[in-house]
Amino acid sequence: ERQGGDGAYSFFDQDGTDQYCIANYVYNRSIRLYNFANGSIRTISNENTSNGDFINQEALDSNLDILYSNYSSGSNYVIRMYENLKTGVVTRKNISNTIMNAEPNALTVSPYTTDQSNLFVGLKNGKVIKIAGATNTFPDAPVWTDITGSDFVGTISDIEFGENENELLVTMQNYGVQNIWYSND
């Protein structure tokens, strides 16, 4: 079976233990996992709503097999977390915080923290947020921290890591401003 339609975010598992890829149609309407090991297709999401963007931002935590997706609608700014991607019932959990005061435009999971998800989120208003322990639940709730640079202007388009989780490269979409930022702390 093929995933057709407009192209969107797709991911190949990167931890070296699994052999799957994830494809997404528009918004969060059709997200599927293709398992290369046995040729099976697993539906992660199948809905008719329009939460998120047409070409919707997502990030895969390959170590924990968790997919994060922009699930915002209007001024309700939400990240949807999909767990149990490979087997069992797929669980869906919405995460949000008042720090997230605009729609996510870039999502990146730290490859340096393997026992929990440290999710970095770039917003459409130029804010960058670190969500340490994004998968945590009470009493060890996620820790949301605004790590926005003082001169950020525009929409965050990408967040990438250097040699560790503190070394970040952030790019922005905007006209006539500094578009590439680097921090080693």
Side-chain angles (χ1 to χ4, degrees), residues 50-81:
S50 295
N51 294 309
D53 285 327
F54 185 78
I55 301 300
N56 196 48
Q57 304 78 6
E58 294 178 322
L60 175 64
D61 183 334
S62 291
N63 292 314
L64 300 176
D65 299 308
I66 296 172
L67 182 69
Y68 295 95
S69 183
N70 172 20
Y71 204 74
S72 301
S73 179
S75 61
N76 185 26
Y77 308 121
V78 175
I79 296 169
R80 165 83 40 110
M81 182 171 61

Side-chain angles (χ1 to χ4, degrees), residues 5 9 11 13 22 24 27 34 56-57 74-75 78 92 105 108 110 112-113 125 131-133 135 156 161 165 170 177:
Y9 283 73
F11 303 94
D13 183 74
I22 294 176
N24 181 5
Y27 303 102
Y34 178 78
N56 196 48
Q57 304 78 6
S75 61
V78 175
R92 296 160 180 87
N105 197 62
T108 304
S110 171
Y112 298 109
T113 306
N125 66 0
I131 308 171
T135 57
I156 305 299
F161 296 96
E165 196 171 281
V170 175
V177 299

Side-chain angles (χ1 to χ4, degrees), residues 103-178:
E103 197 171 349
N105 197 62
L107 302 168
T108 304
V109 175
S110 171
Y112 298 109
T113 306
T114 58
D115 60 337
Q116 66 178 13
S117 285
N118 285 348
L119 179 65
F120 289 71
V121 182
L123 305 182
K124 291 185 178 181
N125 66 0
K127 186 183 277 190
V128 178
I129 299 167
K130 176 182 178 182
I131 308 171
T135 57
N136 292 351
T137 57
F138 182 81
D140 300 319
V143 177
W144 294 64
T145 307
D146 183 343
I147 60 170
T148 306
S150 60
D151 295 325
F152 284 12
V153 178
T155 297
I156 305 299
S157 57
D158 196 13
I159 303 168
E160 295 296 331
F161 296 96
E163 292 185 10
N164 58 56
E165 196 171 281
N166 292 323
E167 190 173 20
L168 294 177
L169 193 64
V170 175
T171 60
M172 297 202 191
Q173 300 167 201
N174 205 338
Y175 180 76
V177 299
Q178 188 170 354

Side-chain angles (χ1 to χ4, degrees), residues 37-50:
N38 62 20
S40 66
I41 295 175
R42 180 170 164 81
T43 298
I44 304 302
S45 181
N46 186 22
E47 57 186 61
N48 291 323
T49 60
S50 295

